[in-house]
Structures are given as structure tokens and as C-alpha cells.
């Protein structure tokens, strides 16, 4: 069944209802490297919004520059999830168009042990239309339950609940849900007000193989993340964590991708140790995603860096907030950042453009700006943060939900282009 937009509008369908209509074609193989990088208005808006000073002047001086893709600009969840359904083909094409040099696929496994791109093994109920497809909803770990008697609506749907073919039949949508929903259809609505449903019209879901084919055709680099399983391993009796970590690397080998173009990630330290032993070539650019400070505090996380270095880890990838602190009204490198640099660990960080209007980060307790809340007041301050991370902390690259923001800075300062 296929609705045109005008027919859908005429019969009262919204963009999300349109998600019911079935998928757009699978990823086209006629993709080519993008030569006309387009950043749209956002970076220019951010520069205009900055306080006067040398950084603003420098960034203004790049306004008419011909922009090129940069490996400093890492596409988080495809690079477009500020406006496009995360991990969809459309988000990746937006990220590539905005000059991301490295495209991300967060990897989870399906019931038939195929690898697919999803931020979490169990987020299908908030990132796709699964609960609104009765036969697939029935397969969910927790099928949709309507809000009732003061209890919120609930669902939990995992990639491991369904097959690859079933996953491919889903429509990607903007992440979110309606806790008051009494129907599956209502549950799909929950996009944050500063994002948009404009492109939430049935995002094309991707397998890792498709993501690799697409990224290869675009001439870009890869950053796959081995997502921590949400089911007990071994899965299906004999599919172990190591089988999963190996299958992940093998998918790149089978596609003929050299390790120098792949930046594997994991939050599980044992995955890093496994790759160092079993896949040393791929481990050279592997990053340990460090969120240890969230529970143990920043001092413990900083202390741990010595061990990572000794174990052979090359890159640590903490959230933005671990790398900076505030001093005398300014953003400065944190002790964590200094320690990583002293040890010779390389640093990549995540994720810019997930926080909405900066004026709200203090009130809403935003995670990414938590260590510098008192010195960021407005959207233009985003580039103060990027600048400290790039030129004082010396990060290799930065994940962003809107690649243009990082690409602009990277081109202006000649990073990764
Ligand atoms: C959320 O669900 C409730 C109950 O089904 C519905 O009345 C409301 O309109 C929904 N909100 C949105 C934004 O769809
Ligand atoms: C795991 O078990 C399945 C079915 O029992 C079997 O087909 C498969 O070969 C086993 N795999 C390994 C690696 O032992
Ligand atoms: C890092 O530090 C945290 C907190 O002290 C600890 O729980 C964790 O096991 C450490 N990780 C490694 C790999 O040493």
C-alpha cells in the first residue's frame, strides 16, 4: 500500500501515519562520492550567535569556503538524527551531504544472527513503527501495553526478537514515544519539540552489510559500534560475545574494507581486549567508549586511563563533558583530557547537537554539557566547546547529530580534510 503525501493529507494522515505505508526502495547502489558538500544555514547561524572575538572572526572568515568532507566530522547515528530518523539510510545520506568523513552504524544482532544498524538492541519500539504492525508487535519482548490506571504505556522490542527480513520491513522514525498512549498508533508520537517529524516518513532501515556498501560507494570511512547485548549471552545457546565481536569484524573483511578505514567502538572493555588479541589490525583504530565516570566519578575514570594505555588501547572515547571543565568563566581542558594526552592516548568524543537549544541545558540537566553548564548560555557557545576540544584537548574527531556543525569548523581549521 502506498499513499502519496497529498492523498495522505486529504484523508487526514500525518507523517507518522504515513509510516504505515510500506518501505521506500532498498539502498540504491548507484551512490557516488559527494563532491558538492552542503552545510545548510545552521553553522552560519551558530557563528552569528557567538560573542565577538578571535574565534568568531576566524569562523566568519570561512563563510564562503568550498567545503570538503572531513574525517574530524563523525556522523553520529548517520549524521542527521537532529532531523532524520536515526540510523536510517536517509540520516546517513544527510550526514554524507553535510561532509561527515566517517559514518556510524551501531550494530545489534537479529534473531537469525544478522547484524543491523540500531542504537540499542532494544529500541525498536521508540525508533521504528514496530508496535503498530500487529504480527511484529506480537513478537516483541514486551508487546505494546496501553497506558491505564495511572501507569504509562509500555513496550520493549529488540532486534533479537525478529529476523533480518522483518527488521527490513520496519520504517525508521524519530526516536520517542507517547507515554499516555492508549493505542499503538498514538505510542509512535513523541518527537522532542526541537527535532522534527518532517522527514519521519518511513526511514529505510539498514543491515550492517548495506551500511558498508553505502559508505564504501560514498567513498567514506566507517565507525561501527558493537552494541552491548540486552539479552543473556550466549544467545541461542551457542552465540557468544566473542562470536558476535568476530562476526562484526568479519563483515568488514568480507566486504574487502581495509582496517585503516574502520574505527570500531565498544563500551565493553572485554570487546577491546578481544580485538587486540584476535584482530590486531582492526584494534589499531578501535575506541573504548568510556562512561565510567557516570557511576564512579571523573577521578576514578581518569585513574583508569593508565590501565587502558598499559593494555594497548589506542583511543579513548568519552562524552564531551569528561573532557572539559570551566574556569574563570571559560571552557578549559579537564584533568581527564590532560591525563589522556600525557599518556599518549588518542581521543574521540560524543556527541554534539543532541542537546537542543543551549539556553536550556542548565534547566534540563543536559548530560553532554554537565561539566560546563555555567559557561554556556546560547547556541553560539557550541563553537567555544568545539574549539577547546579541537585545539586544546586535541581530539581526533567528534560525533555529531548534525554533521554540518562539525564539518564547518573542521574545514575552517583544516582538520581531517
Ligand atoms: C498520546 O496518547 C494519547 C492517548 O492515546 C492521545 O490522546 C494523545 O493525543 C497522544 N499524543 C500525541 C502527541 O500523539
Ligand atoms: C550453534 O548451534 C546451531 C544449532 O544448534 C548450529 O547449527 C551451529 O552450527 C552452532 N554453532 C556453533 C558455532 O557451534
Ligand atoms: C574503570 O573504573 C571503574 C570505576 O572505578 C571500574 O568500575 C571499571 O571496572 C574500570 N574499568 C577498567 C577497564 O579498568
Amino acid at each position: 500500500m502506498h499513499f502519496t503525501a497529498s492523498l495522505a493529507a486529504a484523508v487526514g494522515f500525518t507523517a507518522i501515519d504515513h509510516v504505515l505505508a510500506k518501505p521506500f526502495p532498498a539502498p540504491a547502489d548507484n551512490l557516488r562520492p559527494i563532491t558538492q558538500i552542503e552545510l545548510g544555514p545552521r553553522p552560519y547561524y551558530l557563528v552569528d550567535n557567538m560573542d565577538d572575538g578571535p574565534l568568531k572572526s576566524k569562523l566568519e572568515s570561512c563563510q564562503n569556503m568550498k567545503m570538503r568532507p572531513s574525517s574530524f566530522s563523525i556522523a553520529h547515528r548517520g549524521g542527521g538524527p537532529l532531523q532524520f530518523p536515526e540510523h536510517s539510510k536517509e540520516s546517513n545520506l544527510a550526514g554524507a551531504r553535510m561532509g561527515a568523513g566517517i559514518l556510524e552504524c551501531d550494530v545489534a544482532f537479529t534473531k537469525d544472527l544478522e547484524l543491523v544498524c540500531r542504537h540499542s538492541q532494544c529500541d525498536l519500539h521508540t525508533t521504528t513503527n514496530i508496535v503498530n504492525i500487529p504480527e511484529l508487535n506480537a513478537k516483541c519482548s514486551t508487546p505494546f501495553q496501553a497506558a491505564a490506571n495511572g501507569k504509562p504505556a509500555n513496550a520493549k522490542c529488540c532486534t533479537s526478537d525478529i529476523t533480518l527480513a522483518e527488521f527490513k520491513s520496519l520504517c525508521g522514525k524519530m526516536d520517542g514515544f507517547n507515554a499516555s498512549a492508549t493505542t499503538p498508533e498514538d505510542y509512535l508520537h513523541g518527537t522532542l519539540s526541537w527535532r522534527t517529524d518532517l522527514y519521519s516518513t518511513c526511514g529505510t532501515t539498514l543491515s550492517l552489510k548495506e551500511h558498508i556498501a553505502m559508505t564504501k560507494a560514498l567513498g567514506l570511512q566507517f565507525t561501527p559500534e558493537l552494541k552491548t547485548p540486552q539479552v543473556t549471552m550466549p544467545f541461542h545457546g551457542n552465540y557468544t560475545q566473542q562470536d558476535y565481536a568476530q562476526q562484526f569484524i568479519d563483515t568488514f573483511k568480507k566486504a574487502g574494507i581495509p582496517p585503516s578505514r574502520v574505527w570500531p567502538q565498544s563500551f565493553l572493555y572485554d570487546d577491546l581486549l578481544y580485538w587486540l588479541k584476535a584482530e590486531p589490525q582492526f584494534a589499531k583504530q578501535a575506541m573504548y567508549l568510556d562512561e565510567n565516570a557516570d557511576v564512579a566519578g571523573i577521578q576514578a575514570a581518569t585513574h583508569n586511563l593508565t590501565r587502558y594505555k598499559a593494555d594497548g588501547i589506542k583511543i579513548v572515547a568519552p562524552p564531551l563533558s569528561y573532557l572539559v571543565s570551566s574556569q574563570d568563566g571559560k571552557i578549559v581542558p579537564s584533568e581527564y583530557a590532560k591525563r589522556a594526552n600525557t599518556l599518549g592516548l588518542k581521543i574521540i568524543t560524543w556527541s554534539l547537537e543532541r542537546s537542543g537549544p543551549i539556553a536550556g541545558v542548565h534547566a534540563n540537566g543536559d548530560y553532554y554539557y554537565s561539566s560546563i553548564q555555567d559557561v554556556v548560555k546560547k547556541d553560539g557557545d557550541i563553537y567555544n566547546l568545539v574549539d577547546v576540544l579541537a585545539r586544546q584537548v586535541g581530539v581526533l574527531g567528534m560525533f555529531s547529530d548534525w554533521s554540518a556543525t562539525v564539518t564547518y569548523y573542521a574545514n575552517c581549521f583544516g582538520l581531517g580534510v
Side-chain angles (χ1 to χ4, degrees):
M1 180 147 51
H2 216 87
F3 295 107
T4 64
S6 57
L7 175 59
V11 296
F13 283 79
T14 65
I16 292 284
D17 298 313
H18 183 59
V19 154
L20 280 172
K22 213 3 296 171
F24 293 155
D29 359 280
N30 60 355
L31 293 171
R32 298 216 178 356
I34 294 172
T35 52
Q36 181 67 41
I37 296 304
E38 291 176 15
L39 302 186
R42 184 162 173 81
Y44 307 90
Y45 155 80
L46 294 176
V47 173
D48 282 346
N49 192 243
M50 292 177 71
D51 289 333
D52 288 340
L55 180 59
K56 180 173 184 168
S57 301
K58 168 69 180 168
L59 289 169
E60 278 176 339
S61 76
C62 298
Q63 279 182 4
N64 293 310
M65 205 173 180
K66 158 103 176 137
M67 295 291 163
R68 290 186 287 159
S70 165
S71 59
F72 187 84
S73 181
I74 307 176
H76 190 236
R77 308 189 192 191
L82 181 59
Q83 300 205 351
F84 290 81
E86 61 182 58
H87 285 295
S88 64
K89 180 190 171 199
E90 293 76 13
S91 175
N92 281 275
L93 291 182
R97 179 61 66 184
M98 293 189 282
I102 305 178
L103 300 184
E104 181 179 52
C105 169
D106 289 334
V107 174
F109 54 84
T110 58
K111 190 173 185 177
D112 50 350
L113 303 182
E114 295 285 343
L115 301 181
V116 296
C117 302
R118 225 15 49 188
H119 179 67
S120 163
Q121 187 179 342
C122 299
D123 71 10
L124 294 178
H125 50 289
T126 69
T127 64
T128 74
N129 62 338
I130 190 166
V131 299
N132 209 17
I133 304 174
E135 64 276 21
L136 296 183
N137 176 54
K139 297 184 179 184
C140 289
S141 296
T142 306
F144 172 76
Q145 294 164 349
N149 308 321
K151 282 180 62 188
N154 187 30
K156 182 179 177 189
C157 304
C158 308
T159 57
S160 49
D161 293 335
I162 58 174
T163 64
L164 172 63
E166 289 165 340
F167 175 81
K168 285 293 298 171
S169 77
L170 300 174
C171 289
K173 70 171 190 73
M174 296 302 281
D175 188 18
F177 67 100
N178 174 1
S180 320
T182 52
T183 65
E185 154 61 31
D186 278 349
Y187 187 77
L188 303 180
H189 300 260
T191 306
L192 289 171
S193 64
W194 45 267
R195 294 196 176 125
T196 175
D197 279 328
L198 184 60
Y199 305 106
S200 202
T201 51
C202 190
T204 308
T205 53
L206 295 171
S207 67
L208 176 60
K209 285 177 191 161
E210 289 172 327
H211 190 270
I212 292 173
M214 174 188 68
T215 306
K216 187 179 180 182
L218 289 165
L220 300 175
Q221 299 184 62
F222 311 80
T223 188
E225 179 185 338
L226 194 71
K227 283 313 272 209
T228 303
Q230 306 288 305
V231 291
T232 310
M233 299 297 270
F235 179 64
H236 274 356
N238 64 1
Y239 184 66
T240 65
Q241 182 68 24
Q242 294 197 346
D243 290 339
Y244 173 41
Q246 187 62 52
Q247 180 185 0
F248 169 98
I249 298 293
D250 286 346
T251 310
F252 285 87
K253 288 183 170 173
K254 284 183 190 144
I257 309 297
S260 60
R261 298 190 68 77
V262 185
W263 304 78
Q265 323 162 43
S266 180
F267 279 105
L268 291 185
Y269 198 67
D270 284 346
D271 292 339
L272 275 288
L273 296 179
Y274 174 75
W275 290 327
L276 280 164
K277 194 157 54 78
E279 293 290 349
Q281 294 305 313
F282 281 91
K284 281 186 186 162
Q285 295 188 145
M287 49 183 118
Y288 175 47
L289 298 165
D290 185 3
E291 59 179 358
N292 286 313
D294 290 11
V295 175
I298 192 74
Q299 279 178 350
T302 303
H303 182 77
N304 269 8
L305 293 168
T306 309
R307 170 170 174 211
Y308 308 153
K309 178 67 181 179
D311 285 347
I313 304 292
K314 303 287 190 295
I315 307 174
V316 285
L320 303 168
S321 59
Y322 290 18
L323 295 172
V324 286
S325 52
S326 65
Q327 198 185 331
D328 304 329
K330 285 210 182 88
I331 303 171
V332 295
S334 68
E335 292 305 317
Y336 179 107
K338 290 184 208 163
R339 182 81 190 128
N341 275 320
T342 303
L343 289 165
L345 286 162
K346 296 191 177 106
I347 308 170
I348 286 175
T349 190
W350 43 276
S351 288
L352 210 67
E353 297 286 29
R354 282 195 70 70
S355 305
I358 296 303
V361 299
H362 192 82
N364 65 27
D366 179 81
Y367 177 74
Y368 301 97
Y369 288 86
S370 55
S371 61
I372 51 169
Q373 272 178 3
D374 52 333
V375 293
V376 289
K377 303 260 185 301
K378 53 182 184 162
D379 294 342
D381 294 339
I382 289 177
Y383 276 130
N384 295 337
L385 171 61
V386 173
D387 189 55
V388 172
L389 291 167
R391 292 198 296 155
Q392 295 186 45
V393 174
V395 299
L396 275 189
M398 208 179 289
F399 285 88
S400 178
D401 271 29
W402 197 245
S403 292
T405 304
V406 177
T407 303
Y408 185 90
Y409 181 94
N411 273 267
C412 197
F413 283 88
L415 301 173
V417 287

